[in-house]
Amino acid sequence: EPEVTQTPSHQVTQMGQEVILRCVPISNHLYFYWYRQILGQKVEFLVSFYNNEISEKSEIFDDQFSVERPDGSNFTLKIRSTKLEDSAMYFCASKERGFFNEQFFGPGTRLTVL
Amino acid sequence: SQQGEEDPQALSIQEGENATMNCSYKTSINNLQWYRQNSGRGLVHLILIRSNEREKHSGRLRVTLDTSKKSSSLLITASRAADTASYFCATDAVARGGYQKVTFGIGTKLQVIP
């Protein structure tokens, strides 16, 4: 069964460093998403991406964040200058066209900012 | 209350008992989904119920949706110790610009005691 994959599974970085989290969505999916979950809290929407552009973003998704689909298969989330409070689990998701289709989530990348 | 708010926030039951978790939401939705998350792990999709459906079954899971009350329930029958996890409802609605956004609740922590 096709699945969303994410790399790395765990990333440790120093405050102020740039990180890139990578996702490979399911191949025929058209909508792509990033979410984050701070330890012990709920999953929060960050951004949705369709047709090579951001379609929706939350207030969390500020200028420090960017997304890209560089080669038609990968979908990346970049955090330019990490802060301690960026430490969280980051989930990628993808979805087929259609309102009644579910989002498929990847296993997540745990980001630890020291 | 927040979109996709579950209750109870924590539930402890004996193995073999049924577990019922509720979710309320505020805005109109296309779908409502339930996810499971084991501690520190990824999100596992359990079941999706469309806004025009009232009940759905999958194995030991039964989900109901009442759009007039903007609420849903997840029933796990004959619970097992392996069902111990956090359970989240997620509402899938049309956001600004016509694009979809999934909003997660804070979750119910279920503990099944062997």
Side-chain angles (χ1 to χ4, degrees):
Chain A
E1 188 175 327
E3 58 183 17
V4 177
T5 59
Q6 289 185 243
T7 54
S9 57
H10 192 186
Q11 172 97 42
V12 180
T13 190
Q14 295 289 327
M15 193 169 59
Q17 294 295 304
E18 174 184 286
V19 293
I20 298 176
L21 310 182
R22 291 184 165 78
C23 169
V24 179
I26 295 172
S27 62
N28 63 332
H29 286 188
L30 299 175
Y31 297 86
F32 312 109
Y33 307 84
W34 283 100
Y35 294 82
R36 81 168 184 196
Q37 185 182 33
I38 295 170
L39 187 64
Q41 298 186 24
K42 67 176 181 177
V43 177
E44 300 172 290
F45 169 79
L46 291 178
V47 66
S48 60
F49 191 86
Y50 170 72
N51 201 26
N52 284 319
E53 60 181 22
I54 290 174
S55 50
E56 180 86 22
K57 60 183 181 178
S58 73
E59 59 276 7
I60 302 167
F61 195 88
D62 61 22
D63 292 344
Q64 292 299 312
F65 291 88
S66 63
V67 289
E68 201 177 29
R69 191 154 156 79
D71 56 12
S73 63
N74 290 286
F75 179 50
T76 62
L77 174 70
K78 183 194 289 187
I79 309 175
R80 257 180 279 282
S81 178
T82 50
K83 303 188 279 281
L84 295 176
E85 54 265 37
D86 293 327
S87 294
M89 189 78 124
Y90 288 81
F91 294 104
C92 170
S94 70
K95 193 177 83 69
E96 288 184 89
R97 186 189 298 277
F99 284 136
F100 295 118
N101 291 318
E102 71 197 68
Q103 291 187 16
F104 288 81
F105 281 78
T109 292
R110 181 169 297 285
L111 176 66
T112 302
V113 182
L114 302 176
Chain B
S1 61
Q2 298 178 31
Q3 181 83 349
E5 187 169 286
E6 294 92 336
D7 82 271
Q9 291 190 21
L11 180 61
S12 184
I13 59 173
Q14 295 289 328
E15 200 166 31
E17 292 180 339
N18 295 341
T20 300
M21 289 161 267
N22 303 297
C23 168
S24 60
Y25 58 91
K26 284 187 163 181
T27 63
S28 295
I29 61 171
N30 296 320
N31 309 311
L32 187 144
Q33 303 172 68
W34 284 91
Y35 289 84
R36 186 182 78 201
Q37 185 182 38
N38 289 76
S39 181
R41 307 291 293 276
L43 294 159
V44 175
H45 184 264
L46 295 176
I47 199 163
L48 178 151
I49 186 164
R50 299 180 180 187
S51 58
N52 60 352
E53 295 176 315
R54 292 296 164 258
E55 189 171 311
K56 206 157 181 184
H57 298 255
S58 176
R60 293 184 295 114
L61 305 180
R62 174 177 166 255
V63 167
T64 62
L65 179 64
D66 186 334
T67 51
S68 66
K69 294 181 180 176
K70 292 187 167 58
S71 67
S72 174
S73 68
L74 169 68
L75 168 68
I76 304 174
T77 60
S79 63
R80 304 167 183 165
D83 294 329
T84 295
S86 289
Y87 291 82
F88 297 90
C89 76
T91 53
D92 189 343
V94 177
R96 188 179 63 244
Y99 298 103
Q100 287 173 272
K101 182 170 100 168
V102 171
T103 304
F104 282 81
I106 56 175
T108 293
K109 283 189 179 170
L110 173 66
Q111 181 186 28
V112 181
I113 303 165

